[in-house]
Amino acid sequence: MNKPQVSVIMPVYNGEKYIKQAVESVFAQKVATELLVIDDGSTDHTEKVLSAYEGREDFRYIKNQQNMGAAGSRNRGVGLAQGTYIAFLDADDWWEPGKLKEQLKRLEETGYVLCSTGRELMKADGSSTGRTIPVKEKITYRELLKHNSINCSSVVLKTEVAKNYPMEHDDSHEDYITWLKILQKYKKACGIREPLLKYRLS
């Protein structure tokens, strides 16, 4: 396999119900990806569902020996990533086709190191709630201090930056603290208003 452009990091814990949709949305991206699924000790049939992808060059299944939490699992994936960029996707969310291509284009145009997209809020059964949350085309450190407009499952960022800013504090804010540190150094991130992320409220 040639060097992937994007390494997609997907932590999962007991995600048998939804993970197939997440995985298929990665493989539909028309960008050279590798998908690293970090299984944080699932006790359901997650591993069995993922066995369908065994043998694919662009798929790696990694099982944590002990529970590391979402932040620790993402960091483990980043450490193993071979792509130029990292994208995060939670196992119960999924992407619109073309999402990664749009973000890579925007990152190349702006020279920024991080790109986020808008999101559509979905019900647990995968149907739309009718609500979307856009993001600004430019996100500054000062704006981000007010509230976290960057959703983790929408992010693409340079791999070297992800490796330099691992996620800490494994609670609901581990990603927010990371984005703040990155923008404190790099000043701005780019956003795509369209809801290219389908965010499941599950």
Side-chain angles (χ1 to χ4, degrees):
M1 179 178 155
N2 296 330
K3 181 177 156 123
Q5 205 173 359
V6 183
S7 297
V8 182
I9 313 298
M10 186 183 294
V12 61
Y13 177 74
N14 289 350
E16 65 175 6
K17 268 171 79 174
Y18 304 128
I19 195 164
K20 186 173 190 287
Q21 187 171 18
V23 169
E24 294 292 342
S25 80
V26 172
F27 292 146
Q29 287 300 308
K30 306 272 194 295
V31 166
T33 56
E34 62 166 354
L35 172 58
L36 290 85
V37 175
I38 316 295
D39 187 336
D40 200 25
S42 295
T43 55
D44 66 352
H45 294 103
T46 293
E47 188 168 357
K48 191 176 175 201
V49 172
L50 293 171
S51 66
Y53 304 103
E54 261 174 46
R56 282 188 67 127
E57 281 192 348
D58 55 357
F59 176 80
R60 289 199 274 164
Y61 174 77
I62 297 124
K63 192 150 194 175
N64 293 338
Q65 294 308 305
Q66 59 199 52
N67 196 272
M68 296 172 75
S73 297
R74 288 190 193 110
N75 292 342
R76 187 175 185 198
V78 169
L80 296 167
Q82 295 169 358
T84 309
Y85 293 92
I86 296 283
F88 295 111
L89 179 59
D90 288 345
D92 52 354
D93 300 333
W94 72 98
W95 292 335
E96 283 285 304
K99 173 189 177 285
L100 292 183
K101 209 172 225 179
E102 283 293 315
Q103 287 179 282
L104 293 175
K105 188 171 147 224
R106 196 67 60 90
L107 284 163
E108 275 154 33
E109 284 168 2
T110 59
Y112 297 161
V113 299
L114 189 149
C115 184
S116 168
T117 76
R119 65 193 187 271
E120 182 176 0
L121 304 183
M122 314 302 286
K123 296 176 191 168
D125 66 3
S127 62
S128 179
T129 63
R131 282 191 62 209
T132 59
I133 302 174
V135 290
K136 290 187 171 177
E137 290 190 2
K138 268 192 197 139
I139 304 159
T140 65
Y141 174 67
R142 188 168 290 230
E143 283 169 342
L144 198 63
L145 276 174
K146 293 176 199 160
H147 76 111
N148 184 15
S149 57
I150 297 174
N151 184 276
C152 192
S153 282
S154 81
V155 165
V156 174
L157 76 162
K158 287 235 166 115
T159 300
E160 69 213 57
V161 176
K163 287 183 193 281
N164 287 336
Y165 293 91
M167 290 189 187
E168 296 160 14
H169 316 287
D170 206 343
D171 56 30
S172 58
H173 304 296
E174 75 272 1
D175 54 340
Y176 185 26
I177 293 162
T178 303
W179 316 145
L180 282 169
K181 286 179 183 169
I182 291 170
L183 285 201
Q184 200 168 15
K185 177 169 166 62
Y186 293 98
K187 309 305 178 210
K188 287 176 188 155
C190 53
I192 294 171
R193 289 184 64 82
E194 288 81 23
L196 301 179
L197 164 66
K198 303 300 181 189
Y199 181 79
R200 194 189 306 262
L201 303 167
S202 61

